């Protein structure tokens, strides 16, 4: 029997970052919990990011996921909103990386296509499919449902990530990056 894998899905947002935890055993999905980390819109950006960092850190520590999936940034016409989303997304990527967890990223259309079968599904369809896939799931916000959908997407695509990492160069990505940084510092010094 395959050991269960705990997956944390994160739907980043500066005002509300949704999170959802599931376990996957073979092809069986099981709901664990979900919620939202919020930041106070009256605070300066740095303090709002700190609130997100602290909240996501609590989730990572509390649920001890094995793997994390984060939705990629959706670029829209409002550059300022996109930039703020990018800041929140950076925190969502950084917290699990600092905890030593593998982090995968998924485009919104892939999440919708994986969960609903269509790349342009709306929030109501996503919520209905998450509830269909995991009848015990209880979410109060669309952000939490989206985070569960991101976790489900990772559960469906994690084998391809594992295959890619098995065929990665022997040096490994972090060691390669470290050697490049060291080389650049040596040239500068």
């Amino acid at each position: 029997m395959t050991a269960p894998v705990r997956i944390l899905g994160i739907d980043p947002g500066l005002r509300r970052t949704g999170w959802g935890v599931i376990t996957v055993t073979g092809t069986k999905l099981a709901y664990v919990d979900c919620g939202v980390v919020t930041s106070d819109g009256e605070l300066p950006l740095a303090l709002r990011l700190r609130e997100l960092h602290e909240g996501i850190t609590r989730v990572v520590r509390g649920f001890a996921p094995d793997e994390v999936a984060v939705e990629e940034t959706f670029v829209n016409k409002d550059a300022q909103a996109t930039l703020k989303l990018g800041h929140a997304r950076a925190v969502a990527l950084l917290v699990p990386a600092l905890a030593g967890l593998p982090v995968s990223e998924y485009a919104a259309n892939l999440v919708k296509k994986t969960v609903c079968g269509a790349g342009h599904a709306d929030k109501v369809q996503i919520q209905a499919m998450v509830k269909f896939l995991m009848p015990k799931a209880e979410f109060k916000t669309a952000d939490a449902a989206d985070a569960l959908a991101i976790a489900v997407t990772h559960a469906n695509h994690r084998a391809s990530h594992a295959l890619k990492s098995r065929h990665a160069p022997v040096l490994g990505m972090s060691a390669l990056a470290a050697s490049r940084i060291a080389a650049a510092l040596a040239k500068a010094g």
Side-chain angles (χ1 to χ4, degrees):
M1 180 167 195
T2 310
V5 176
R6 185 168 281 204
I7 299 170
L8 168 62
I10 300 176
D11 180 29
L14 186 56
R15 185 179 310 273
R16 291 179 310 277
T17 291
W19 60 269
V21 181
I22 67 171
T23 58
V24 58
T25 308
T27 59
K28 183 180 179 202
L29 301 174
Y31 168 76
V32 176
D33 203 353
C34 66
V36 177
V37 174
T38 60
S39 73
D40 182 348
E42 301 297 317
L43 293 176
L45 179 61
L47 296 179
R48 293 180 75 185
L49 294 173
R50 184 181 76 185
E51 286 183 325
L52 293 179
H53 183 278
E54 290 169 351
I56 297 169
T57 299
R58 280 191 302 275
V59 171
V60 167
R61 286 185 183 149
F63 290 97
D66 300 303
E67 300 172 9
V68 179
V70 179
E71 187 173 78
E72 290 179 349
T73 301
F74 176 79
V75 180
N76 60 33
K77 293 178 184 177
D78 183 355
Q80 195 66 21
T82 301
L83 184 58
K84 287 179 181 178
L85 175 59
H87 292 315
R89 191 171 170 281
V91 173
L93 292 167
L94 178 63
V95 170
L98 288 173
L101 298 169
V103 180
S104 298
E105 303 171 68
Y106 296 96
N109 282 348
L110 179 61
V111 173
K112 293 173 183 178
K113 188 171 186 175
T114 301
V115 175
C116 298
H120 298 288
D122 64 23
K123 298 234 179 240
V124 173
Q125 290 171 303
I126 292 169
Q127 292 173 17
M129 285 306 297
V130 166
K131 195 70 172 161
F132 176 77
L133 293 168
M134 296 176 293
K136 293 182 181 178
E138 295 180 17
F139 42 85
K140 293 181 175 128
T141 68
D143 301 298
D146 289 349
L148 288 168
I150 294 161
V152 169
T153 299
H154 182 64
N156 283 277
H157 293 276
R158 61 189 295 275
S160 65
H161 286 286
L163 186 62
K164 285 179 193 174
S165 68
R166 267 189 249 130
H167 295 289
V170 175
L171 192 53
M173 294 306 261
S174 61
L176 178 60
S179 68
R180 287 181 180 165
I181 292 169
L185 289 174
K187 283 182 186 179

